[in-house]
Amino acid sequence: MNFDFSEEQKLLQQTAKEFLEENSSLVHVREIFEADAGYSKALWKGAAELGWLGVSIPEEYGGAGFGYLEAAMIAGEIGAYLAPIPFSSTVYLAAEAIKRAGDDAQKTKYLTGIASGDLVGTMATTEKVGSLTEKSINATFDGSKLSGTKLPVCDGDEADFAIVLAKEGSGLSLVVVDLDAAGVERKKLQSLDPTRAQAQLTFNDASATRLGAAGEGWDLAQDVLTRAAVLMAFEQLGCADRAFQITFDFMMNRYAFGRPIASFQSLKHRMADLYADREVARSNCYWAAWALENDHEELREAAASAKISASDALDHTTVEMIQMHGGVGYTWEYDCHLFYRRGKVLAHTLGTTDEWREKLVTKLIEDAA
Amino acid sequence: MDFNDSPEEAAYRAKVREWLDANATLRDPDAPRANMLDEAEGDYVQKAKDWQLTKHEAGWACLRWPKEFGGQEATAMESVIFNQEEGRYEVPPSIYGIGHGMLGPTIMAHGTDDQKKRFLPNMVKGDEVWCQLFSEPDAGSDLAGLKTSAVKDGDDWIINGQKIWTTGAQFCKWGMLVARTDPNAVKHAGLTYFIVDMEAEGVDIRPIKQMSGASGFNEVFFSDVRVPDANRLDAVGNGWRVAITTLMNERSSIGGSLGGGVGIKDLVKLAQGVEINDKPAIEDGGVRRKIADFAVRRSGLKYTGQRSLSALSQGATPGPEASIGKLVAAIMGLEMGEFGMELQGAGGILTSDEAGADPAWQHTYMAMPGLRHAGGTDEILRNIIAERVLGMPGEPRMDKEKPFKDIPSGTAR
Ligand SMILES: Cc1cc2nc3c(=O)[nH]c(=O)nc-3n(C[C@H](O)[C@H](O)[C@H](O)COP(=O)(O)OP(=O)(O)OC[C@H]3O[C@@H](n4cnc5c(N)ncnc54)[C@H](O)[C@@H]3O)c2cc1C
Ligand SMILES: Cc1cc2nc3c(=O)[nH]c(=O)nc-3n(C[C@H](O)[C@H](O)[C@H](O)COP(=O)(O)OP(=O)(O)OC[C@H]3O[C@@H](n4cnc5c(N)ncnc54)[C@H](O)[C@@H]3O)c2cc1C
């Protein structure tokens, strides 16, 4: 048994960390944030050059042909550095959907485009506020044309193509649509974190091709979301680790009542609890990474567990980050709110924590029967 | 990343199973089990001794220990495999956790050759059970504040004082005791560690009734008890260092268990069997979310254990993640007990199963407050994580510079 990442995988993580330290400083994140610029084109180009975008895309489509464990290592650093790029939309969701269900033409076009950095992709499922259910889908696909409205779509304003969940006949299908095509209207939506920008996409008889078989869209979408959740959980954990570290450093250097505030027990005990939360999440993430890499039957349970515990750990950490910084934590100038915003956005992307709890318990009930 | 046994590990596991199959019966994995010692009933001490002897004779006892003391010099992974497999069988609750997990390793680290030869092989065989005489009425978390005294008299030490919360003292032959040998030294410097014969004259063991009604622990009074100097462990004044060795081992052994006899499956079944608003409770959104949160913590703890194991199997020491185990498990166990009672509605307060309620939840509810204290309280564990793992500054101390006798301690009366 070896329940750990390999030396090569850890090296990849170290490289990612060094690259992002240099190229995704919080100053740069703020530039994108304040300019409302969607994402950092420079950083995206760098990520493509390092082979990150094709990390788990097969070599025949221009990818690096690594597995999910490598993707998880990169995801963690993307989260730590609040990298303002459409990485999760493109890599965890769009590439995964095409990989799992695309035909050869779709794979050649989209996977190759993603790996080279030429294409940004995303996935569009929800249509309104409230939770995602089969009945909540009203968009329609007639075999070649897509109509309907999707919101919020992460990176929808910038993406080149989207995987869309739509009704086809009496069932649901997943379709791919190029967003520059006729009949597609994009509208930017204001959201908590402009570096993970949201949009509304409206389709009026836009040309689209089906991904996989008709009527299998719901299961396929769930499958993609489950897999994406594992990598997202690593991204959240990385984000929580860094928020924790920044808070810790601040506490060691901030004095009140003649002592570093890090010496007050009421704060120390909360830091210990945040540490425990993150270790619980980390262990679930490792389990999920193992299940994803091995396509194990525990994947559904493990992915939901990783997503729930990473969301909770990140939520607790960013709330405490602001609290432990005192008044400055509540300012625009300090970076606490960047983590607070990003943390919440990541928790809602791919479904809220309560939606994942529901998925997990459904699986537990199946298992108990 | 690979969860599977290596070929060597798989072969070892097969060998373990073969032996267990021949010597014990498989347990129903769905039956909730009492895993707190104080819930054990009847002649459990004799049963535990018999099982230990069976294991010893077949070469399955204290697997990691050196052969010369009765162990097998097995790897950490092999010993874990044995424990995992043994857990699947109907075996008596162990009465050796403290001895094998904490005190044996302390003797190995600090004992003389004679002490190792005299005590360790019998500890493995199991006819001599050991207890830990650390806590006192005025020294629990503040262990170094203990007052039980040891005064040199020729080749002996004379022990006077009181220990408390001593788990298992009623059936133990030996105890490991920390005593104050120099009240004029600063607090941590005046301590010495001894091995005490629990049957010696002047040792008075009185059971303490716990809030649950059981009596797993005791208070132990020492009146002029003679301990030969040969039973002193390590140098005079070195007791604190030796005690830390014991406590470090305590953390790693207690951290391994998940706390409470109830599991997620039990919770799902309970929620399927009771109703909220005329519908099965399992259909209630609030109930479902709570079960999910328990499951996430359970699996998080389980795989934290796997991460430590993995480090062990690679020959490394487990990382700091091991320190969260008991803290998370005890709180979660308490919450699960409460939730199981909540699901049973008005009947949740019943502690017998005559009325159709399942009392496993109530037992957990009554047992978990003890686990939150034993082996370091929640607060002490948080201090340890904050200070030792994270490196945050210690508390301001009032007890570091003065002689021990000048430090206020205990409860003001
Ligand atoms: C919205 C807002 C409005 C405000 N309005 C006013 C105003 O009108 N007038 C005014 O004078 N001030 C005002 N303040 C300032 C406010 O009083 C201080 O922010 C507050 O006292 C905290 O002090 P600090 O920011 O220096 O943080 P610090 O004192 O540095 O605290 C940092 C962290 O350490 C913790 N901490 C500090 N000491 C201890 C301790 N002994 N034990 C445990 N934890 C400790 C704090 O709780 C906090 O989590 C305002 C602040 C805010 C956020
Ligand atoms: C079931 C059970 C079995 C046990 N078995 C044994 C045994 O076999 N051998 C043995 O020697 N002992 C045993 N103990 C004793 C156990 O180790 C002590 O109860 C424990 O260390 C707490 O000490 P105390 O009871 O004196 O409480 P105190 O130390 O007086 O603590 C009272 C409260 O104050 C808090 N507190 C104390 N210091 C601090 C601090 N610095 N910061 C924040 N909070 C603090 C504690 O967390 C606690 O909530 C057992 C206890 C139990 C419940």
Side-chain angles (χ1 to χ4, degrees):
Chain A
M1 180 179 101
N2 182 8
F3 191 35
D4 197 0
F5 288 89
S6 69
E7 288 312 312
E8 292 77 28
Q9 286 155 356
K10 287 180 188 166
L11 196 68
L12 179 68
Q13 176 184 24
Q14 187 57 31
T15 317
K17 184 180 161 62
E18 283 161 17
F19 175 76
L20 290 168
E21 178 86 43
E22 180 84 23
N23 296 283
S24 184
S25 67
L26 290 172
V27 174
H28 184 55
V29 173
R30 237 172 223 283
E31 280 164 13
I32 303 297
F33 186 105
E34 287 174 2
D36 207 2
Y39 71 94
S40 167
K41 312 287 183 295
L43 190 56
W44 189 247
K45 192 159 165 277
E49 281 164 5
L50 286 169
W52 293 358
L53 306 182
V55 58
S56 43
I57 289 176
E59 282 164 294
E60 54 178 315
Y61 300 111
F66 284 138
Y68 293 102
L69 300 180
E70 286 76 10
M73 294 284 89
I74 297 170
E77 297 308 317
I78 297 267
Y81 287 89
L82 305 183
I85 48 175
F87 192 72
S88 55
S89 307
T90 305
V91 176
Y92 315 163
L93 288 169
E96 190 60 31
I98 303 273
K99 228 168 76 179
R100 295 197 72 69
D103 59 27
D104 203 52
Q106 288 166 329
K107 284 183 182 167
T108 304
K109 175 174 174 189
Y110 295 107
L111 293 184
T112 314
I114 289 172
S116 65
D118 294 330
L119 291 183
V120 170
T122 187
M123 183 151 135
T125 51
T126 49
E127 303 188 353
K128 56 179 193 220
V129 292
S131 73
L132 175 68
T133 63
E134 287 179 79
K135 282 193 191 140
S136 71
I137 304 298
N138 288 310
T140 55
F141 177 64
D142 66 4
S144 63
K145 302 278 185 217
L146 174 68
S147 293
T149 299
K150 293 285 170 180
L151 76 93
V153 183
C154 193
D155 302 304
D157 199 40
E158 304 270 354
D160 298 292
F161 72 98
I163 313 291
V164 180
L165 184 60
K167 271 200 252 188
E168 183 176 11
S170 60
L172 295 177
S173 297
L174 270 193
V175 303
V176 203
V177 54
D178 289 335
L179 297 178
D180 290 329
V184 181
E185 223 178 284
R186 318 184 193 217
K187 190 173 118 202
K188 203 164 197 161
L189 300 176
Q190 296 308 310
S191 64
L192 273 187
D193 179 3
T195 67
R196 302 299 301 113
Q198 308 293 325
Q200 172 179 321
L201 298 180
T202 307
F203 305 102
N204 286 306
D205 284 337
S207 297
T209 59
R210 189 181 333 96
L211 203 57
E216 286 182 2
W218 179 257
D219 289 348
L220 201 51
Q222 289 304 323
D223 191 31
V224 172
L225 287 171
T226 296
R227 287 157 180 276
V230 179
L231 298 173
M232 181 58 84
F234 274 91
E235 183 168 332
Q236 293 174 293
L237 187 61
C239 188
D241 285 343
R242 180 122 181 273
F244 184 88
Q245 190 59 48
I246 290 172
T247 307
F248 178 87
D249 293 343
F250 177 88
M251 293 170 77
M252 296 293 276
N253 292 305
R254 168 83 182 166
Y255 283 72
F257 304 96
R259 297 157 57 177
I261 60 168
S263 69
F264 295 120
Q265 194 179 54
S266 65
L267 305 192
K268 282 159 71 177
H269 281 192
R270 279 148 59 196
M271 291 294 274
D273 284 340
L274 291 180
Y275 174 80
D277 284 348
R278 281 182 305 124
E279 290 313 306
V280 164
R282 197 177 321 279
S283 299
N284 280 321
C285 280
Y286 278 35
W287 174 34
W290 167 82
L292 177 61
E293 177 70 11
N294 294 289
D295 222 341
H296 196 273
E297 58 182 10
E298 287 171 9
L299 176 61
R300 265 170 70 201
E301 190 181 341
S305 301
K307 185 74 176 68
I308 295 164
S309 48
S311 293
D312 282 348
L314 180 52
D315 275 352
H316 297 166
T317 305
T318 59
V319 166
E320 290 286 47
M321 182 185 204
I322 295 177
Q323 185 59 23
M324 300 205 187
H325 272 73
V328 295
Y330 190 60
T331 61
W332 187 264
E333 182 190 342
Y334 269 64
D335 294 321
C336 302
H337 70 112
L338 299 183
F339 286 87
Y340 189 66
R341 290 166 183 275
R342 174 65 69 90
K344 210 50 179 171
V345 166
L346 297 184
H348 279 244
T349 311
L350 313 182
T352 64
T353 312
D354 274 349
E355 289 179 274
W356 285 101
R357 288 189 179 99
E358 182 54 36
K359 289 184 192 189
L360 174 59
V361 90
T362 304
K363 181 67 174 46
L364 294 172
I365 293 166
E366 275 172 39
D367 289 351
Chain B
M1 188 170 288
D2 184 6
F3 256 156
N4 299 322
D5 285 341
S6 69
E8 299 78 46
E9 288 162 358
Y12 190 81
R13 194 180 293 278
K15 229 173 73 186
V16 170
R17 279 194 187 166
E18 193 184 323
W19 184 79
L20 283 168
D21 277 337
N23 291 279
T25 28
L26 269 176
R27 193 166 55 79
D28 171 6
D30 288 340
R33 61 174 159 158
N35 69 356
M36 296 290 282
L37 193 52
D38 57 48
E39 289 173 20
E41 279 163 13
D43 54 350
Y44 69 96
V45 173
Q46 194 50 49
K47 284 189 184 143
K49 285 187 173 181
D50 292 347
W51 176 237
Q52 183 64 21
L53 191 63
T54 307
K55 287 198 288 185
H56 171 67
E57 283 169 351
W60 295 110
C62 297
L63 288 168
R64 292 190 68 192
W65 289 19
K67 290 202 169 128
E68 59 169 319
F69 306 135
Q72 302 294 327
E73 294 175 14
T75 65
M77 209 45 212
E78 287 170 342
S79 124
V80 163
I81 288 173
F82 185 86
N83 292 343
Q84 285 174 342
E85 293 301 319
E86 188 186 26
R88 299 169 52 241
Y89 291 77
E90 205 79 72
V91 296
S94 174
I95 54 175
Y96 300 101
I98 292 175
H100 294 165
M102 300 155 58
L103 305 182
T106 307
I107 294 177
M108 276 185 246
H110 298 275
T112 61
D113 286 346
D114 282 349
Q115 289 170 336
K116 292 179 198 170
K117 271 191 219 120
R118 162 64 188 88
F119 295 114
L120 294 175
N122 284 331
M123 202 187 269
V124 178
K125 239 202 237 157
D127 50 348
E128 293 179 350
V129 192
W130 289 64
C131 61
Q132 180 193 15
L133 299 157
F134 278 27
S135 302
E136 296 182 7
D138 291 345
S141 303
D142 185 8
L143 175 60
L146 60 87
K147 293 172 185 160
T148 293
S149 71
V151 178
K152 192 78 190 287
D153 180 44
D155 281 342
D156 290 339
W157 292 85
I158 314 283
I159 313 281
N160 277 290
Q162 182 194 352
K163 294 292 175 177
I164 196 168
W165 322 127
T166 318
T167 303
Q170 71 273 25
F171 52 73
C172 285
K173 167 67 182 165
W174 297 103
M176 298 276 255
L177 173 135
V178 194
R180 187 162 301 280
T181 41
D182 185 358
N184 294 308
V186 294
K187 191 170 170 180
H188 295 74
L191 306 174
T192 306
Y193 205 110
F194 297 96
I195 296 167
V196 179
D197 184 346
M198 299 300 284
E199 290 163 7
E201 207 179 305
V203 178
D204 180 11
I205 302 166
R206 300 180 198 163
I208 300 176
K209 192 167 181 178
Q210 294 160 202
M211 62 174 244
S212 62
S215 291
F217 55 32
N218 305 269
E219 49 189 344
V220 183
F221 295 87
F222 296 86
S223 319
D224 292 330
V225 176
R226 282 194 172 265
V227 173
D229 191 50
N231 285 357
R232 166 172 50 80
L233 203 62
D234 210 310
V236 174
N238 236 357
W240 182 250
R241 238 193 46 183
V242 187
I244 290 294
T245 303
T246 309
L247 294 175
M248 300 287 266
N249 280 291
E250 173 159 41
R251 214 91 61 216
S252 48
S253 51
I254 289 192
S257 80
L258 288 181
V262 288
I264 302 299
K265 257 192 189 162
D266 304 317
L267 205 49
V268 170
K269 282 193 185 139
L270 175 64
Q272 284 168 330
V274 296
E275 299 199 327
I276 291 180
N277 293 332
D278 295 330
K279 278 192 263 166
I282 194 71
E283 290 172 20
D284 180 85
V287 169
R288 294 169 79 84
R289 287 193 285 276
K290 269 201 116 140
I291 293 177
D293 280 336
F294 286 126
V296 162
R297 271 190 281 171
R298 252 306 148 100
S299 59
L301 281 180
K302 174 173 166 197
Y303 292 105
T304 299
Q306 300 277 4
R307 284 167 60 202
S308 301
L309 272 188
S310 175
L312 275 178
S313 79
Q314 311 297 304
T317 35
E321 74 280 348
S323 59
I324 69 165
K326 201 206 68 153
L327 176 62
V328 177
I331 296 171
M332 178 179 69
L334 178 58
E335 290 175 9
M336 278 179 74
E338 285 182 307
F339 186 57
M341 290 166 65
E342 174 74 32
L343 284 174
Q344 294 172 29
I349 51 174
L350 301 175
T351 52
S352 76
D353 51 13
E354 306 155 82
D358 175 357
W361 307 97
Q362 290 75 3
H363 287 166
T364 303
Y365 177 71
M366 294 306 286
M368 285 301 121
L371 190 61
R372 291 187 64 194
H373 292 300
T377 64
D378 288 0
E379 291 73 27
I380 292 303
L381 294 180
R382 288 191 179 99
N383 280 351
I384 290 170
I385 294 171
E387 293 171 20
R388 308 272 140 142
V389 179
L390 300 174
M392 301 176 90
E395 302 296 305
R397 304 275 296 248
M398 284 64 143
D399 61 350
K400 280 284 196 186
E401 329 257 276
K402 300 179 211 166
F404 176 72
K405 61 179 173 40
D406 299 334
I407 301 169
S409 87
T411 311
R413 276 170 243 268

